[in-house]
Amino acid sequence: MALQTCDHCQLAFPERDAVSETIDGWEHTFCCSGCRAVFLLIRSEGLDAFYRKRTWDSPGVPVNQQKEVNAGLFAADIQQAGHDREIDILIDGIRCASCVWLNEKFLARTGGVEYARINFATHKARIRWDPDRVSLDRILKRIQAIGYVPRPYRESAHFRQQKAAARDLLVRFGTAAFFSSQLMIYSIALYAGYFQGIDPATRSTLEFIAMALTIPVILYSGMPFIKNTFIGLRHLHFTMDSLITIGSGSAFIYSVYQMVIGGTVYFDTAAMIITLILLGRYIEATAQGRAAETIERLSELCPKEARILRDAGAKDPFSRETALIPLAELKKGDCVKVLPGERIPADGRVLHGESEADESILTGESLPVFKTAGSDVIGGAINLFGTFIFEVTRTGKDTFLAAIMRSVEDAQAKKPRLQILADRIVGYFVPFILVLSGTTTAAYLLKGSPANTALMAGISVLVIACPCSLGLATPLAVLVFTTMASARGILVKSGEVIEETSRIDHVILDKTGTLTEGRPSLREVISLDRMFGKEYLCRMAASVENLSEHSIGRAITAASGGSFLPVRDFRAVPGRGVEGTIGDTAVVLGSRAFMQDNRITLHDPVTDFDKISRSYEKAGDTVIFMGWERKVRALFIITDRLRPETAATVRELLDLGQEVSLASGDNRATTEAVAAAAGVPFSAPEMSPLEKRELIRGLQEKGKKVMMIGDGINDAPALTEATVGIAMGKGTDIAMESADAVLIRNDLTLIPYVIRLAGKAYAVIKQNIFWAFFYNIVALPLAVSGVLHPIMAAGAMAASSLFVVTNSLRIRKGADT
Amino acid sequence: MWTLAFLIFLSLVLGIGAWLFFLWAVKSGQYDDPEGPKYRMLEDDEDEPKKKNGAS
């Protein structure tokens, strides 16, 4: 018996579960009849090219574990589109271009569907259908029939705003760009005229057209800047927006005046300032938007419904009728049924049934927790193997989960908004050039120049001082940084992360799921019987455990290599262990207490295994005993293994000059053992979520810049409090929302990489800002002396923009070392 | 002079045409999914489903 791979979902599964089907002479195997049905359906539609095209790096969800779709949940999102109906939904399970292809093709072949298009990056589908020919319910069932899960698409208000803002910016930038490019044609003709001479009538025509093209750029595309300037002016607060308004506004007014008196015009400068700044803002908005969108999609996974029991009906609580109700309608005292694989919808106490719950994301406890009648369950934890019924004791805002989310919100509210570096400089720069411009005008007046000459000299100072490449300096570097980071699997939420990450001097790592893999695996087999080798003992244990669905059992099964012995009389005792007969041997496998139940002695003066096992338990491992005929024959040490790259990563961080510590909710022995194995110098055991936050706050008060890396809800308050919080991508939604960056691939080596990359990017940003100012400041004396020429203004702008672009591209080198 | 006026007129018409096209493109969501098209273009379109399962 070996592990097989399902031809549809690619999950490895034991052969005893296999469902086979011979199609065109080829034998296909599936993990369940659901997957087989999907395979046959896709084939019968002639879409089996999907299986050749797809590029999956991990198996999908087996079809039989999916819940039924409730079309009622989608009803509110349906839009009228003429006679047709239209809806946006999310489709779960899409992982490659072929999945998009399969879904689009399959939907297009559903009679009545007029249009189906899936966004590759966001997995959002827009479907339009004819309500007379097909119902939404059928469309959703079709999607599910090929193994994908449709989910209602709800944008948060904040996210919708962000998207609308990005689109608004695109329209404003596009408009500015089209008018500016038209404008350039006339400006170049005018420049040529300065050098070669130009007929005055033609010149004024060209100047007039140039002015007409500049007006929409300033009044439409530049409107947000103008508005912000006036808002800022009321508080005497100067920002980048004030600088842009002053620069382009003064260039425009100056040019109009010069046009009237027959001087030289600067319309191109006025328009280009706004265009380039808008380009920078648009780059910034899209880079942030993409990360936000991915995170938004991941974080919609928590349960929105609960399956409550209807009171009347059969005696056996498990055969009673159930109904799905929205979570908001769940009341204290309701009885809720939870199926295997589902998240528990609220806090409560188990009434019937037995199971194990994975609470690691909430409490940091790495092993599944056994639940039986009377146990407390936490809302948000995942029910692993059994079905149980529990009575709701707390709902809504009173739940454990809600308490943690509140503390996250508190921490987020307290976090000071970091001003972007350029804005701080601008705050000083704007008053400076205003004073310089005023002084210039005054000096000319004192010298006895006419008022209009003096005023024009003052305005020309404002024109040349506006460094339009300043608007590109930060966004371009941020864009290169986020592109590089996301190519490696790091989603960065905002550019602020760069500055903060570049200053980090203390890294705190969570244990479960961050340093370790977050699931149990077999570390060691200790044979206590000379008759049998470790391999054989492991094979015996695996054969018995193969029939159980316990996570610890699976750790042993996974380590055995997949060849099993036949087992009779299998029995599982929840929370204790399993037993079964191999050949003539009745094998008992489980905890110390289970051995005593089966009258297997735990005292052996020769090997003294009890002492050995206790020493392992002290170090935080779980010990499973295997015995038969009154004697313990082997010990299986189960542990949550370190990720393979952990030790190397910690060393690299220490080499980068970082202090590294470990914070965990687990007990001291386990935490210290893991810290020692990973090479982490400091460890803080038994930390509650709020204590982790206090730990970080304490370090920050000492002037440390702290980076926190975690995955659980229990890390969320700490992630928000930290200077930079990084969440593991397979962690929880809340952790990802509270973090500044998310590692999509759970690969710790990305941490030193992102620290180096941020250092490099931050250095480039500082250089960019310096050079953006440099060219304009060099040209300032010319403006003051009154010999400013439009070519100089254009030259300064082009030179600094080119420098900023090429310098930003340098980030791509140097981070890989 | 007339040539110049004509060319100016032509360039403005073309420029504004391109601008209106751009506005339409933004509005109809052409910029919403910059990732997808590069994969879509590689897909072979088999317009008719293979009928062999149903028929044979």
Side-chain angles (χ1 to χ4, degrees):
Chain A
M1 293 233 289
L3 286 182
Q4 298 247 336
T5 313
C6 178
D7 281 350
H8 171 69
C9 68
Q10 298 192 338
L11 201 72
F13 63 98
E15 197 177 289
R16 69 194 158 90
D17 292 336
V19 180
S20 299
E21 177 82 27
T22 309
I23 305 159
D24 289 347
W26 288 91
E27 172 112 16
H28 291 275
T29 42
F30 306 99
C31 66
C32 57
S33 51
C35 282
R36 188 191 63 165
V38 172
F39 187 87
L40 291 177
L41 180 62
I42 290 173
R43 246 192 86 80
S44 70
E45 290 280 343
L47 295 172
D48 47 347
F50 166 70
Y51 291 106
R52 295 193 301 274
K53 285 180 178 180
R54 66 178 177 187
T55 46
W56 287 8
D57 47 10
S58 60
V61 185
V63 177
N64 63 348
Q65 282 182 18
Q66 294 170 357
K67 291 186 289 181
E68 200 173 315
V69 195
N70 180 0
L73 290 172
F74 294 83
D77 303 330
I78 301 178
Q79 309 253 314
Q80 287 273 2
H83 174 70
D84 296 341
R85 301 282 187 279
E86 198 174 80
I87 193 170
D88 285 342
I89 58 169
L90 280 175
I91 300 183
D92 275 350
I94 287 184
R95 282 151 354 119
C96 63
S98 300
C99 297
V100 172
W101 172 83
L102 177 68
N103 274 285
E104 283 183 354
K105 284 272 168 245
F106 197 69
L107 285 172
R109 285 177 194 182
T110 308
V113 173
E114 308 281 344
Y115 174 92
R117 193 79 162 174
I118 298 163
N119 185 316
F120 181 81
T122 59
H123 305 181
K124 193 176 82 184
R126 172 161 293 172
I127 303 169
R128 195 163 59 230
W129 72 96
D130 179 353
D132 296 340
R133 294 177 55 204
V134 70
S135 69
L136 178 62
D137 191 47
R138 172 152 164 74
I139 295 173
L140 298 177
K141 290 231 166 76
R142 289 273 286 178
I143 296 174
Q144 204 174 21
I146 48 171
Y148 297 86
V149 185
R151 190 144 61 84
Y153 176 67
R154 301 269 153 76
E155 292 168 318
S156 66
H158 166 74
F159 182 58
R160 202 167 331 155
Q161 261 173 9
Q162 202 177 18
K163 247 174 61 179
R167 183 175 273 207
D168 183 62
L169 261 179
L170 177 61
V171 174
R172 284 185 202 274
F173 163 68
T175 307
F178 278 108
F179 281 97
S180 300
S181 63
Q182 289 286 309
L183 177 62
M184 271 303 160
I185 301 171
Y186 302 99
S187 300
I188 286 174
L190 286 170
Y191 289 152
Y194 298 135
F195 295 114
Q196 301 174 350
I198 190 167
D199 163 36
T202 314
R203 191 177 75 176
S204 48
T205 316
L206 293 181
E207 283 176 349
F208 184 77
I209 296 171
M211 184 185 74
L213 288 168
T214 313
I215 289 171
V217 177
I218 292 181
L219 288 188
Y220 172 68
S221 300
M223 207 53 194
F225 303 130
I226 299 175
K227 267 189 198 156
N228 285 340
T229 307
F230 282 105
I231 293 170
L233 209 57
R234 261 179 248 160
H235 314 287
L236 277 181
H237 180 65
F238 297 106
T239 59
M240 190 67 199
D241 288 351
S242 340
L243 188 57
I244 297 155
T245 313
I246 292 170
S248 64
S250 55
F252 184 74
I253 293 165
Y254 182 82
S255 304
V256 173
Y257 177 76
Q258 293 292 333
M259 207 172 99
V260 175
I261 63 160
T264 51
V265 297
Y266 296 85
F267 289 119
D268 55 331
T269 311
M272 284 314 284
I273 291 170
I274 289 178
T275 309
L276 285 177
I277 302 279
L278 279 172
L279 173 62
R281 298 260 164 111
Y282 179 64
I283 290 173
E284 215 168 12
T286 44
Q288 278 172 25
R290 195 159 319 156
E293 203 154 0
T294 311
I295 291 161
E296 178 105 352
R297 178 158 45 88
L298 291 170
S299 67
E300 274 231 331
L301 294 168
C302 51
K304 304 261 185 302
E305 308 156 288
R307 186 178 283 101
I308 64 160
L309 292 187
R310 293 260 181 254
D311 262 332
K315 219 175 182 185
D316 172 21
F318 287 99
S319 53
R320 275 196 211 155
E321 245 182 79
T322 59
L324 278 177
I325 60 161
L327 208 58
E329 288 173 25
L330 196 66
K331 291 185 304 290
K332 199 178 155 182
D334 281 347
C335 291
V336 176
K337 185 162 150 185
V338 187
L339 301 182
E342 287 186 344
R343 279 181 195 273
I344 299 167
D347 292 1
R349 181 162 294 136
V350 177
L351 296 177
H352 309 281
E354 280 178 345
S355 182
E356 285 188 358
D358 179 354
E359 295 177 348
S360 56
I361 55 164
L362 291 146
T363 59
E365 166 67 52
S366 51
L367 293 174
V369 184
F370 176 63
K371 300 288 179 195
T372 184
S375 320
D376 288 323
V377 289
I378 308 172
I382 302 168
N383 175 27
L384 292 173
F385 303 111
T387 305
F388 67 87
I389 291 168
F390 77 99
E391 186 189 357
V392 177
T393 53
R394 280 177 300 194
T395 58
K397 285 182 181 157
D398 306 325
T399 58
F400 182 71
L401 185 64
I404 288 188
M405 286 176 77
R406 258 202 307 282
S407 68
V408 169
E409 281 165 18
D410 289 351
Q412 271 174 342
K414 265 190 201 146
K415 198 168 188 172
R417 280 284 307 160
L418 244 163
Q419 288 278 321
I420 289 173
L421 187 62
D423 267 358
R424 286 204 296 262
I425 298 173
V426 166
Y428 298 105
F429 188 68
V430 174
F432 166 70
I433 60 154
L434 285 177
V435 168
L436 186 65
S437 151
T439 326
T440 309
T441 314
Y444 274 87
L445 283 176
L446 284 177
K447 256 171 55 186
S449 309
N452 61 346
T453 317
L455 203 62
M456 281 306 119
I459 291 182
S460 71
V461 169
L462 297 181
V463 174
I464 195 69
C466 180
C468 58
S469 53
L470 190 60
L472 289 176
T474 318
L476 266 182
V478 172
L479 178 72
V480 177
F481 172 82
T482 47
T483 316
M484 297 275 298
S486 68
R488 288 285 186 104
I490 312 160
L491 280 180
V492 178
K493 282 194 195 164
S494 77
E496 285 170 25
V497 172
I498 297 177
E499 185 185 345
E500 289 167 346
T501 307
S502 68
R503 292 181 177 170
I504 291 299
D505 48 18
H506 194 122
V507 180
I508 298 182
L509 296 141
D510 171 50
K511 186 179 75 72
T512 312
T514 304
L515 278 188
T516 67
E517 285 172 343
R519 61 189 153 80
S521 64
L522 181 64
R523 183 169 125 195
E524 213 178 326
V525 183
I526 299 172
S527 167
L528 302 170
D529 192 325
R530 286 191 197 167
M531 299 267 291
F532 302 99
K534 284 183 187 180
E535 240 165 74
Y536 186 72
L537 287 166
C538 185
R539 199 168 149 202
M540 283 178 84
S543 307
V544 181
E545 289 285 10
N546 185 32
L547 300 173
S548 99
E549 293 195 313
H550 193 285
S551 60
I552 287 180
R554 283 196 301 187
I556 295 177
T557 316
S560 73
S563 91
F564 303 122
L565 305 162
V567 176
R568 284 175 292 117
D569 306 329
F570 173 79
R571 195 168 74 95
V573 183
R576 304 219 127 183
V578 290
E579 55 187 33
T581 309
I582 299 175
D584 299 324
T585 323
V587 180
V588 180
L589 205 68
S591 66
R592 187 176 278 115
F594 195 52
M595 296 297 118
Q596 283 164 341
D597 292 351
N598 286 284
R599 286 180 296 146
I600 290 173
T601 173
L602 287 166
H603 299 288
D604 187 337
V606 186
T607 53
D608 203 7
F609 63 85
D610 201 39
K611 198 174 155 197
I612 298 173
S613 67
R614 283 188 199 279
S615 74
Y616 275 106
E617 279 168 341
K618 240 184 220 159
D621 300 334
T622 306
V623 181
I624 298 292
F625 298 77
M626 177 165 79
W628 60 83
E629 289 157 8
R630 301 201 154 200
K631 272 184 77 180
V632 173
R633 313 285 168 153
L635 303 180
F636 295 88
I637 315 297
I638 312 284
T639 183
D640 185 8
R641 238 191 331 217
L642 285 183
R643 289 180 192 279
E645 75 276 12
T646 298
T649 304
V650 171
R651 216 174 312 122
E652 210 178 334
L653 285 171
L654 292 169
D655 286 346
L656 280 173
Q658 306 284 336
E659 285 172 40
V660 184
S661 27
L662 174 68
S664 174
D666 265 352
N667 61 51
R668 178 169 292 273
T670 314
T671 309
E672 277 169 4
V674 169
V680 177
F682 309 103
S683 63
E686 289 162 24
M687 301 290 272
S688 75
L690 301 181
E691 278 169 348
K692 280 188 190 173
R693 191 174 76 183
E694 290 309 313
L695 174 75
I696 290 174
R697 197 172 283 169
L699 282 168
Q700 283 174 337
E701 274 163 17
K702 284 187 211 150
K704 297 274 182 202
K705 302 270 179 230
V706 184
M707 176 185 270
M708 169 82 200
I709 299 137
D711 68 323
I713 290 174
N714 56 328
D715 299 318
L719 287 171
T720 347
E721 184 66 33
T723 318
V724 177
I726 296 188
M728 305 299 272
K730 296 217 169 94
T732 53
D733 318 337
I734 295 168
M736 284 188 278
E737 275 172 24
S738 351
D740 300 300
V742 176
L743 301 185
I744 308 178
R745 282 191 297 131
N746 282 0
D747 180 355
L748 284 178
T749 54
L750 294 174
I751 305 285
Y753 174 75
V754 79
I755 292 179
R756 275 199 311 268
L757 188 65
K760 182 89 189 158
Y762 190 55
V764 165
I765 289 176
K766 284 194 285 192
Q767 291 159 9
N768 280 356
I769 290 172
F770 173 77
W771 288 101
F773 278 109
F774 180 79
Y775 290 96
N776 300 71
I777 288 172
V778 164
L780 261 182
L782 296 174
V784 173
S785 61
V787 291
L788 182 66
H789 195 274
I791 293 281
M792 285 169 198
M797 197 153 70
S800 60
S801 301
L802 266 178
F803 180 86
V804 162
V805 171
T806 42
N807 195 37
S808 300
L809 292 177
R810 277 193 326 120
I811 299 176
R812 291 198 289 188
K813 290 177 192 160
D816 291 308
T817 48
Chain B
M1 196 62 210
W2 187 86
T3 340
L4 187 64
F6 176 73
L7 286 175
I8 287 171
F9 173 76
L10 195 67
S11 81
L12 284 179
V13 166
L14 287 176
I16 288 171
W19 176 56
L20 291 175
F21 178 71
F22 163 77
L23 290 185
W24 166 83
V26 174
K27 217 173 173 187
S28 68
Q30 302 292 322
Y31 288 86
D32 288 354
D33 180 15
E35 280 292 296
K38 69 180 177 201
Y39 296 102
R40 271 201 191 92
M41 98 191 160
L42 295 174
E43 284 154 9
D44 309 319
D45 251 345
E46 301 156 49
D47 270 359
E48 294 145 63
K50 283 183 233 159
K51 296 226 170 82
K52 72 179 170 195
N53 282 290
S56 63

